[in-house]
Amino acid sequence: MTRPLLDELDRRLIGALHVAPRAAWDDIGEILAADASTLKRRYDRLHQARMVRAIGHAYWGMHSTAMPVHVFLDITGETPLTVLHRLSDLPHLQLLAQISGDDPLYAVIHAPSEAATSEAIDRLYSVPGVRRVNALPALSTLRRGMTWDPQFLTDAERADLLKLTGARREGTATATPPAKPLTEAERAVVAQLIQDSRASAASIARAAGLATSTAHRVVRRVLDEGWVKPRLEMVSEWLGFQTPFLLRLRVAPGGTPDVMRRIDQLPQTRLAAHVASDMSVLVMGLVTDRAALALFIDHELAEIPGILAVSVDIMLAEPRRYWLDRDLTSGLGAFHAPTLL
């Protein structure tokens, strides 16, 4: 597959959809001072090239009663990519990566329950080539994947797009189920929006066998309740972001909440999690290159009080991120969306 050539408008469009994935083309066009039909054609081209995909970030309580577990794996007798390929067939793996450092593989397990989490970790030991599994259960997580900022927009454009979404800061993620069980119509709409967060109510009605008026009402409720949050996934390397990284931080006792809040405010951050480990804060982020990572560590991170030690790994390959397979040659691939409870 040929990598799409991007101009400034393409980048600004991607930036706009990253902020407001469900925004109408007319609204985006007004903010970017561009023709709405031109923006739609460009989005369709990027989507067909498998560079971008609008999916839905399901509220954790919709598909799990457990928190994620971050797993570091040591291997023996095999190459890291060989073992990584074997891991891809296991269930409940949200993220897979080859990383630098002592443990060459990293994964995130988010299973439907604590029992299923235990079974998923147990299965890792049966994979040929896996020698040791270091599982770090998340105690709390600040979700940043949707709000990481590629910084393709002006501050004014970003602010205007945020007004369209009514977006609030993510806050701490939980696996608490909704107060009331979802109706069949709500479950159907959630399932459709997870697969395509730009889907219209009319198309969802056809796919789910609902009346159009019902679909309009339920889509609005699902989005307003935050059961699904629209999310633009992209091949970030094709946009010039070549260095995904992983930090493990040792933090002074009592300082974890403040350190996580400070890190969450940095545009390079994709996730900040408090984990059960002597290195109690885990951070995932994305920058343009290794020089930018050095600046991030020596400047932004260094200004945060309470950090006692830092372990840095670079993600050398990331064939799955947020349930979505990706390849630097062919682009975005299969979406392994979590099953609703």
Side-chain angles (χ1 to χ4, degrees), residues 8 12 15-16 19 31-32 149 151-162:
E8 183 63 22
R12 294 174 67 225
V19 175
I31 292 170
L32 299 186
D149 187 1
Q151 302 183 68
F152 293 155
L153 304 173
T154 66
D155 290 342
E157 288 169 341
R158 182 176 177 83
D160 288 342
L161 287 159
L162 285 172

Side-chain angles (χ1 to χ4, degrees), residues 10-55:
D10 290 322
R11 291 176 178 273
R12 294 174 67 225
L13 171 60
I14 291 170
L17 289 171
H18 200 274
V19 175
R22 272 188 70 83
W25 296 120
D26 286 341
D27 291 334
I28 297 175
E30 183 175 349
I31 292 170
L32 299 186
D35 178 69
S37 60
T38 298
L39 294 176
K40 184 180 184 306
R41 284 196 303 271
R42 290 187 176 227
Y43 172 77
D44 289 342
R45 176 177 65 89
L46 296 173
H47 184 269
Q48 290 166 6
R50 299 169 71 176
M51 181 175 187
V52 299
R53 179 171 175 178
I55 61 175

Side-chain angles (χ1 to χ4, degrees), residues 163-220:
K163 290 177 185 176
L164 295 178
T165 66
R168 297 182 297 272
R169 199 159 191 81
E170 275 289 279
T172 302
T174 70
T176 306
K180 293 182 180 180
L182 269 62
T183 66
E184 287 303 312
E186 289 167 344
R187 287 178 61 84
V189 168
V190 167
Q192 292 294 320
L193 285 173
I194 289 173
Q195 293 290 336
D196 180 5
S197 62
R198 283 196 64 83
S200 66
S203 66
I204 290 174
R206 290 191 296 270
L210 300 172
T212 302
S213 59
T214 300
H216 275 283
R217 174 175 52 79
V218 176
V219 166
R220 188 72 270 154

Side-chain angles (χ1 to χ4, degrees), residues 77-94:
E78 300 279 8
T79 67
L81 291 179
T82 297
V83 178
L84 197 62
H85 178 72
R86 292 171 182 161
L87 294 175
S88 65
D89 293 330
L90 298 181
H92 315 312
L93 287 174
Q94 174 188 318

Side-chain angles (χ1 to χ4, degrees), residues 5 11 26-27 35 72 74 82 97 121 123 146-147 180 193 202 216 234 245 249 267-268 291-292 294 300 328:
L5 298 175
R11 291 176 178 273
D26 286 341
D27 291 334
D35 178 69
F72 295 84
D74 194 10
T82 297
I121 294 172
R123 289 187 64 176
M146 293 176 293
T147 51
K180 293 182 180 180
L193 285 173
H216 275 283
M234 65 189 77
F245 62 86
L249 312 178
Q268 299 92 338
E300 284 94 339
L328 295 188

